[in-house]
Amino acid sequence: EPVTGGRAQWLVLAAAFLGWMFDGMEMGIFPLVARPGLQEMQAASGIVDEQFVQMWMGRITALFLLGAACGGLVFGWLGDRIGRVRAMALSILCYSLFTGFCYFAAQPWQLGALRFIASMGMGGEWALGVALVMEVWPEAERPLLAGLIGAAANVGYALIAVIAIQFLITRDSWRWVMLVGAAPALL
């Protein structure tokens, strides 16, 4: 049986949906900005080498995946200590702010470190958002709601794609796109 009723259920569902939607947006940002961002960083060093860009794209993607797994553990543990709502808010703040901080990255390793920390917040939100919804909604409705929350990530991925269609992402503009990733902090 649900822990709360009515309005609280809908608020939890909305927060989880928006959290996952912004997760999807965040996941779509790096593939759009990686090449121009790494090319800009590489040009600052006077080197022009596609292998450099590919190597760092792979490393940063691996750090992202590792960070998401670690974040599920860390924020899940934190949710048990301070409550899932607070931990989820902190996880969203984590991935939002650290994505925005990527604006300031001057070296590929800095971009990788910031993406790692941002993805920890995403991994935490994935776990906490679903757990909260499952705690407050009746058992019969949980499978549908779990699917809805999962689909929210695709909505976010589509949103960042629309932004990319409207605005050309270049060596000069990629940093501003990272600031778009800070928008979920408002949530």
Side-chain angles (χ1 to χ4, degrees):
E1 283 305 302
V3 177
T4 61
R7 186 172 180 204
Q9 288 176 318
W10 290 102
L11 287 173
V12 167
L13 181 60
F17 184 90
L18 290 172
W20 272 66
M21 183 189 76
F22 286 125
D23 282 349
M25 192 177 87
E26 160 62 28
M27 285 186 292
I29 285 177
F30 186 69
L32 295 174
V33 303
R35 183 166 305 286
L38 290 167
Q39 287 173 337
E40 184 233 349
M41 290 176 188
Q42 182 184 28
S45 69
I47 302 169
V48 178
D49 181 15
E50 179 60 23
Q51 198 169 14
F52 171 90
V53 172
Q54 291 177 7
M55 177 187 67
W56 276 103
M57 285 176 71
R59 287 179 178 176
I60 295 169
T61 300
L63 286 168
F64 176 84
L65 295 170
L66 182 61
C70 292
L73 295 171
V74 169
F75 281 99
W77 174 84
L78 190 61
D80 289 341
R81 301 299 179 273
I82 67 169
R84 284 180 182 69
V85 172
R86 284 188 183 123
M88 188 170 85
L90 289 174
S91 72
I92 293 170
L93 195 60
C94 177
Y95 77 71
S96 301
L97 293 178
F98 282 91
T99 296
F101 290 156
C102 288
Y103 176 92
F104 301 104
Q107 298 291 323
W109 70 266
Q110 294 169 342
L111 188 58
L114 292 167
R115 289 287 295 161
F116 175 83
I117 297 169
S119 68
M120 285 184 67
M122 287 182 54
E125 201 284 328
W126 290 340
L128 294 165
V130 172
L132 276 169
V133 170
M134 297 305 117
E135 286 178 356
V136 300
W137 281 85
E139 188 173 337
E141 296 175 34
R142 292 176 188 167
L144 175 65
L145 296 177
L148 178 67
I149 293 167
N154 294 322
V155 172
Y157 215 98
L159 283 175
I160 198 64
V162 168
I163 291 170
I165 289 169
Q166 297 298 317
F167 302 100
L168 180 63
I169 300 169
T170 66
R171 291 181 190 179
D172 297 324
S173 67
W174 74 271
R175 293 179 186 278
W176 294 103
V177 178
M178 299 308 287
L179 288 180
V180 171
L186 301 173
L187 181 61

